[in-house]
């Protein structure tokens, strides 16, 4: 071989390597930057590798019970992450030592790690076959160690724990059931199918709750933890007694809002216990809730799977913001979460064509409600008419790395279902009705109010979470995708025949869904 070709071959080799590497780098990453860039490094070895894999795996895993899938999927995800890390560990640690990487955080819900990276580090990492893609991290966080509660927060949480431990919480003989609970078919499911949500744990990712007995007694407690400023169960989190605040990295799950407690409203729809007068807001009155702060934090999703949560109700959503390729990362995470036994649901949003915050068609339902396996719930009034603000579909996954299966010519059917977003009492801040003149206080009760007036599809989502809890209380081994099928198959069709972009499959029917689950089981 002559000298020219000996010189040319290495050039061609590295040139081809560079071209391959560019395909593995998020186009939104500016490689001309000299400062640190927040990125997520996705490893090649994923349980769900791309579009179509989730559906294929649901067929494969449907032969297993949910509890079997929980164990198997958790083991597989964590093993893949451990094995991949060992393959790149030397290189990554070298980059950390040289100051080219910092703030590294490893994950397994999607096999990979987040970090701050210099452009030279990104160019080096993409050369490794073990790495499939490097995302621009649009939700970067400075991960700090879990910290003990401040004195005021500690005393407030101590009061919650004390109230939770009381055995004489009011057991009102005559309950007052709001119309929405009856209309959704929940009361019929309790009375005729003995489906009350017992034994089911629902994660509520929101603002936390007010310290009122009706919500405190709905909490699920982490039995391995005590409120003492110590990480008793060794999971790296201090005082995660009733959930965790991943924003502040503490165990404080109380809502300190002065005029509105969004989390209390949503938690009360799912599992609120009776008020002093017997008013019971819950769809699943015997279910338990754990509270989390930190949407778009993958640590939250990992906590759900490792701590046996059955359902996650989410109020957070992003619209009117270019998320680029990072949508694929979160779709990957939620598909793994579903395969691991956690059913995910949330409101479809308040960005419909007649909303004061209207968005264009195709952009009204955002992440994470635009993910196929995450159910998005639209809104109708008591007469089954679409409410003016309710977001409509469709959704698209055009040009998303690994998940470009719903292009503009073949959109994703969204929303999935419909529920009631307003017109019934919800738990809220004391005297919040004085802030909003169109709100009416129905009842004051130990540090909170039941208020008529708050509205939004954030309240539609918890209806579906509550109905899912009813289903799991009588058929606990159903997988998340099977619950979704039941909810859609038994819904009351609204609008044109069949699913549509206004109502999805229609109004959720708890009684029909529970009965169908029993027959299927």
């Amino acid at each position: 071989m002559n000298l020219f070709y000996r010189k040319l071959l290495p050039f061609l080799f590295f040139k081809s390597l560079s071209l391959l590497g560019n395909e593995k780098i998020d186009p939104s990453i500016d490689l001309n930057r000299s400062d640190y860039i927040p990125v997520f490094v996705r490893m090649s070895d994923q349980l769900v590798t791309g579009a179509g894999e989730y559906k294929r795996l649901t067929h494969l895993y449907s032969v297993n019970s949910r509890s079997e899938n929980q164990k198997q999927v958790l083991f597989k995800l964590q093993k893949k992450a451990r094995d991949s890390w060992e393959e790149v560990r030397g290189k990554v640690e070298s980059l950390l030592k040289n100051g080219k990487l910092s703030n590294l955080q490893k994950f397994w819900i999607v096999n990979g790690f987040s970090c701050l990276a210099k452009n030279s580090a990104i160019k080096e990492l993409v050369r490794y076959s073990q790495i499939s893609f490097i995302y621009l991290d649009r939700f970067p966080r400075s991960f700090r160690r879990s910290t003990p509660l401040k004195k005021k927060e500690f005393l407030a949480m101590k009061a919650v724990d004390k109230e939770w431990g009381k055995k004489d919480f009011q057991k009102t003989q005559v309950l007052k059931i709001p119309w929405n609970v009856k209309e959704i078919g929940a009361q019929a499911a309790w009375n005729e199918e003995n489906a009350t949500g017992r034994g089911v744990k629902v994660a509520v990712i929101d603002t936390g709750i007010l310290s009122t007995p009706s919500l405190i007694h709905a909490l699920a407690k982490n039995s391995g933890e005590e409120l003492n400023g110590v990480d008793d169960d060794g999971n790296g989190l201090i005082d995660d007694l009733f959930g965790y605040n991943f924003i502040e990295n503490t165990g404080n799950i109380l809502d300190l809002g002065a005029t509105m407690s969004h989390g209390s409203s949503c938690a009360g729809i799912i599992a609120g216990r009776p008020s002093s007068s017997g008013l019971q807001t819950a769809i699943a009155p015997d279910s338990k809730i754990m509270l989390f702060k930190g949407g778009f934090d993958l640590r939250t999703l990992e906590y759900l799977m490792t701590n046996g949560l059955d359902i996650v109700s989410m109020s957070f959503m992003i619209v009117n913001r270019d998320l680029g390729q990072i949508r694929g990362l979160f779709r990957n995470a939620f598909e793994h979460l579903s395969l691991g036994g956690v059913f995910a649901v949330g409101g479809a949003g308040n960005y419909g064509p007649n909303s004061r915050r209207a968005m264009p068609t195709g952009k009204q339902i955002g992440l994470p409600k635009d993910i196929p396996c995450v159910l998005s719930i639209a809104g109708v009034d008591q007469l089954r008419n679409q409410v003016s603000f309710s977001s409509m579909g469709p959704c698209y996954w055009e040009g998303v790395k690994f998940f470009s299966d719903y292009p503009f010519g073949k959109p994703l059917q969204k929303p999935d279902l419909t529920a009631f977003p307003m017109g019934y009492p919800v738990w809220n801040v004391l005297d919040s009705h004085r802030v909003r003149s169109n709100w009416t206080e129905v009842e004051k009760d130990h540090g909170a109010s039941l208020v008529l007036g708050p509205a939004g599809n954030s309240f539609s989502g918890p209806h579906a979470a509550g109905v899912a809890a009813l289903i799991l209380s009588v058929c606990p081994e159903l997988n998340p995708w099977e619950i979704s099928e039941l909810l859609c198959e038994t819904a009351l069709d609204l609008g044109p025949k069949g699913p549509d972009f206004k109502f999805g499959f229609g109004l959720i029917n708890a009684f029909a869904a529970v009965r169908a689950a029993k027959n299927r089981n």
Side-chain angles (χ1 to χ4, degrees):
M1 183 181 294
N2 64 38
L3 182 61
F4 172 77
Y5 286 108
R6 282 203 301 269
K7 290 182 177 179
L8 182 61
L9 282 175
F11 171 78
L12 291 174
F13 173 76
F14 285 111
K15 185 67 175 175
S16 64
L17 200 63
S18 174
L19 289 171
L20 178 63
N22 285 341
E23 294 176 359
K24 295 162 65 174
I25 299 175
D26 191 328
S28 299
I29 294 176
D30 181 4
L31 292 175
N32 293 317
R33 283 175 57 176
S34 59
D35 59 338
Y36 283 109
I37 302 169
V39 298
F40 187 98
V41 179
R42 180 190 191 262
M43 309 305 291
S44 300
D45 189 12
Q46 305 289 337
L47 184 60
V48 172
T49 56
E53 271 297 285
Y54 170 76
K55 190 171 183 180
R56 184 186 72 81
L57 289 171
T58 60
H59 291 304
L60 185 65
Y61 288 3
S62 288
V63 300
N64 300 333
S65 65
R66 190 168 65 96
S67 58
E68 289 175 311
N69 286 331
Q70 286 172 322
K71 293 175 185 176
Q72 288 187 24
V73 170
L74 179 60
F75 175 79
K76 288 178 180 179
L77 292 176
Q78 292 182 334
K79 185 177 186 306
K80 286 176 181 293
R82 285 194 305 269
D83 292 348
S84 293
W85 174 248
E86 287 306 314
E87 291 180 346
V88 300
R89 180 176 183 173
K91 182 60 182 176
V92 173
E93 289 182 348
S94 174
L95 292 170
L96 286 166
K97 184 178 180 181
N98 294 332
K100 295 181 179 181
L101 294 181
S102 69
N103 201 36
L104 185 138
Q105 177 83 18
K106 293 183 286 184
F107 294 95
W108 51 261
I109 192 70
V110 177
N111 181 8
F113 57 90
S114 66
C115 62
L116 296 174
K118 292 290 184 72
N119 57 22
S120 58
I122 294 172
K123 293 172 184 176
E124 289 185 55
L125 288 172
V126 294
R127 295 176 181 175
Y128 285 77
S129 61
Q130 296 91 342
I131 292 171
S132 60
F133 198 69
I134 299 181
Y135 293 96
L136 176 64
D137 190 350
R138 296 174 185 266
F139 306 100
R141 299 183 187 277
S142 179
F143 294 110
R144 297 176 284 116
R145 289 182 179 273
S146 182
T147 56
L149 295 165
K150 296 175 183 177
K151 185 177 180 180
K152 185 177 180 180
E153 295 171 338
F154 180 83
L155 292 174
M157 286 299 297
K158 197 73 175 176
V160 169
D161 192 23
K162 183 178 179 180
E163 175 64 36
W164 186 89
K166 290 181 180 178
K167 303 300 181 186
D168 59 347
F169 179 66
Q170 66 255 22
K171 295 291 183 182
T172 309
Q173 294 299 313
V174 180
L175 296 176
K176 294 183 286 185
I177 310 299
W179 67 265
N180 60 306
V181 178
K182 298 175 183 177
E183 292 288 321
I184 213 78
Q187 189 176 27
W190 311 337
N191 296 338
E192 299 188 38
E193 299 296 337
N194 196 30
T196 61
R198 187 175 302 279
V200 180
K201 290 194 296 184
V202 183
V204 181
I205 305 178
D206 210 304
T207 63
I209 61 164
L210 299 168
S211 181
T212 188
S214 294
L215 298 177
I216 291 171
H217 287 274
L219 293 172
K221 190 173 185 177
N222 177 2
S223 60
E225 195 77 11
E226 294 181 20
L227 194 67
N228 56 10
V230 177
D231 176 18
D232 298 290
D233 58 5
N235 67 354
L237 306 178
I238 296 172
D239 293 339
D240 56 318
L241 203 63
F242 299 111
Y244 197 71
N245 182 339
F246 283 101
I247 298 173
E248 299 174 352
N249 283 297
T250 73
N252 178 30
I253 48 80
L254 293 176
D255 191 346
L256 304 178
T259 60
M260 173 69 180
S261 180
H262 195 280
S264 294
S265 299
C266 292
I269 293 169
I270 297 168
R273 276 27 179 185
S275 68
S276 296
S277 71
L279 201 160
Q280 181 176 277
T281 59
I283 301 294
D286 288 330
S287 65
K288 295 280 190 177
I289 54 174
M290 291 193 84
L291 307 169
F292 299 90
K293 299 181 186 182
F296 299 111
D297 192 324
L298 295 179
R299 294 176 299 169
T300 309
L301 303 189
E302 292 186 345
Y303 191 103
L304 304 187
M305 198 183 294
T306 53
N307 288 272
L309 276 297
D310 304 299
I311 298 162
V312 57
S313 175
M314 304 171 292
S315 298
F316 60 94
M317 187 173 79
I318 290 185
V319 295
N320 199 29
R321 176 179 165 189
D322 180 17
L323 295 179
Q325 294 297 328
I326 203 74
R327 292 175 66 206
L329 174 69
F330 283 91
R331 176 166 166 183
N332 219 161
F334 275 97
E335 290 184 346
H336 285 161
L337 188 73
S338 176
L339 292 170
V342 183
F343 173 82
V345 64
N350 308 316
Y351 305 98
N354 297 314
S355 168
R356 60 185 176 84
R357 297 181 291 174
M359 292 291 162
T361 299
K363 294 186 177 182
Q364 296 174 20
I365 302 175
L367 196 72
K369 317 302 174 51
D370 60 356
I371 296 172
C373 70
V374 176
L375 260 63
S376 62
I377 316 299
V380 292
D381 62 22
Q382 194 170 357
L383 297 176
R384 308 324 193 240
N385 297 315
Q386 182 190 32
V387 295
S388 61
F389 54 76
S390 188
S391 289
M392 297 168 56
C395 293
Y396 304 100
W397 286 81
E398 178 85 36
V400 179
K401 185 75 173 181
F402 308 113
F403 296 101
S404 186
D405 52 347
Y406 292 100
F408 296 123
K410 184 186 174 185
L412 173 64
Q413 172 66 56
K414 288 280 180 177
D416 298 283
L417 292 158
T418 304
F420 301 117
M422 61 184 186
Y424 43 83
V426 293
W427 286 103
N428 214 326
V429 176
L430 276 172
D431 299 326
S432 57
H433 64 291
R434 294 181 181 176
V435 179
R436 304 284 183 94
S437 59
N438 59 334
W439 291 3
T440 304
E441 187 176 73
V442 175
E443 179 182 349
K444 282 186 179 179
D445 193 16
H446 297 89
S449 293
L450 281 163
V451 177
L452 190 67
N457 273 329
S458 288
F459 301 158
S460 296
H463 281 73
V467 175
L470 298 182
I471 292 171
L472 285 176
S473 67
V474 294
C475 300
E477 296 294 3
L478 286 174
N479 289 297
W481 54 93
E482 294 167 330
I483 298 171
S484 296
E485 290 170 4
L486 284 166
L487 290 173
C488 293
E489 289 169 1
T490 58
L492 175 65
D493 191 21
L494 300 174
K497 186 175 177 58
D500 57 68
F501 295 141
K502 282 187 179 181
F503 308 106
F505 282 87
L507 182 66
I508 298 169
N509 187 330
F511 174 67
V514 168
R515 178 158 287 185
K518 281 186 169 182
N519 292 335
R520 180 174 182 165
N521 212 38

